[in-house]
């Protein structure tokens, strides 16, 4: 008879940022549209949505290897991807000033909506004695943005891919977060909205994963076996509690 392996205690929860804890207000495309309007360019929200989703389908820049972790390099990478996406719509070449302005608009706090379940869930996770951190494919200024939104105080640290030099699903970004948290992969859980970058990336790094699907874009059969799919962070808490209880009982 095979003895079941003990379940490792859960000691850390990592959260993706975009579409997990917050979302541009009212959408990514509307913030782009603001910049276009300032520069006298006409484009429909529908066209922007199609182009941007295609460009960022990887859940990030789509870089499989490491890259230079600097603010300027981050801006250049993002500008290049945006230029390619917008060229597909017949827009461009747009000046660098347009993309600088776009970056500024994404730093305006009123252009972000924090999901109402986020603050209570973060408090509950911290009350359980867990390390709580962000782990996101994001540009350089994520810490500054979360500070402006009064979110940074809820996290033990901020892991932004632009500052680490690797993006999800690369195992190095998960390893970086685990080292910062001081936990092993088996003691951590990652929550995010992207099946490949978040779920498969975390599983490949030896962590447990949860898909948050706020707009019901996925079905359970798209996920690896055993990966929960939730619609809000409120639904995460019973999953966390079940893991904590199971670890104590094993």
């Amino acid at each position: 008879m095979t003895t079941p392996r003990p379940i490792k205690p859960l000691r850390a929860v990592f959260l993706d940022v975009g579409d997990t804890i917050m979302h541009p207000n009212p959408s990514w495309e509307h913030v782009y549209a603001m910049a276009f309007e300032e520069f006298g360019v006409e484009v429909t929200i529908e066209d922007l949505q199609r182009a941007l989703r295609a460009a960022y389908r990887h859940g990030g820049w789509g870089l499989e290897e490491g890259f230079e972790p600097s603010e300027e390099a981050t801006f250049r990478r993002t500008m290049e991807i945006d230029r390619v996406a917008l060229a597909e719509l017949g827009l461009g070449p747009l000046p660098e000033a347009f993309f600088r302005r776009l970056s500024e608009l994404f730093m305006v706090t009123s252009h972000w909506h924090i999901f109402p379940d986020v603050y209570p869930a973060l408090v509950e996770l911290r009350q359980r004695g867990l390390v709580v951190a962000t782990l996101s494919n994001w540009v350089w200024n994520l810490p500054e943005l979360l500070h402006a939104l009064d979110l940074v105080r809820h996290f033990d640290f901020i892991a932004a891919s632009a500052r680490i030099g690797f993006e999800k699903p690369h195992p190095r970004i998960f390893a970086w977060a685990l080292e910062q948290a001081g936990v092993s992969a088996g003691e951590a859980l990652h929550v995010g909205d992207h099946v490949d970058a978040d779920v498969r990336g975390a599983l490949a790094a030896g962590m447990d994963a949860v898909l948050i699907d706020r707009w019901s874009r996925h079905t359970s059969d798209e996920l690896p076996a055993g990966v929960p799919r939730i619609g809000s962070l409120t639904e995460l808490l019973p999953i966390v509690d079940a893991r904590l209880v199971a670890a104590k009982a094993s």
Side-chain angles (χ1 to χ4, degrees), residues 21-83:
I21 66 174
M22 65 190 199
H23 186 74
N25 182 27
S27 72
W28 298 96
E29 296 79 26
H30 280 84
V31 179
Y32 276 79
M34 293 177 195
F36 280 121
E37 185 176 359
E38 290 185 17
F39 280 76
V41 178
E42 293 186 6
V43 59
T44 68
I45 295 297
E46 292 75 20
D47 285 343
L48 272 174
Q49 184 181 67
R50 185 177 69 255
L52 293 173
R53 283 191 178 179
Y56 290 97
R57 65 188 181 280
H58 304 286
W61 295 289
L63 302 174
E64 296 182 359
E65 302 299 330
F67 49 83
E68 179 185 342
S70 72
E71 186 172 9
E72 184 61 21
T74 299
F75 170 76
R76 296 288 168 186
R77 282 192 300 272
T78 305
M79 179 174 65
E80 187 58 35
I81 293 176
D82 282 345
R83 278 179 166 167

Side-chain angles (χ1 to χ4, degrees), residues 11-17 21 122 126 130-136 142-143 146 151-161 163-164 172-183 188-190 207:
R11 296 177 56 202
V13 174
F14 303 146
L15 299 167
D16 180 47
V17 175
I21 66 174
L122 291 176
R126 296 297 294 271
L130 299 167
V131 174
V132 182
T134 69
L135 179 53
S136 181
L142 179 60
L146 294 182
L151 275 169
V152 73
R153 62 190 174 92
H154 292 279
F155 298 107
D156 291 286
F157 60 88
I158 308 297
S161 59
R163 293 180 178 240
I164 297 169
R172 289 284 292 276
I173 188 172
F174 292 99
W176 188 94
L178 291 168
E179 182 178 356
Q180 292 297 307
V183 304
L189 171 69
H190 178 64
M207 301 167 55

Side-chain angles (χ1 to χ4, degrees), residues 185-203:
E187 297 171 321
L189 171 69
H190 178 64
V191 184
D193 69 298
H194 197 279
V195 174
D196 290 327
D198 291 306
V199 172
R200 298 188 191 281
L203 294 177

Side-chain angles (χ1 to χ4, degrees), residues 7 30 36 61 83 92 96 107 113 119 134 156 161 170 172 181 190 193 205 210 216 227 229 232-233:
I7 298 174
H30 280 84
F36 280 121
W61 295 289
R83 278 179 166 167
E96 182 176 312
M107 284 296 291
H113 168 71
Y119 287 116
T134 69
D156 291 286
S161 59
H170 198 287
R172 289 284 292 276
H190 178 64
D193 69 298
V210 173
S216 300
V227 173
R229 181 171 65 97
S232 74
L233 291 183

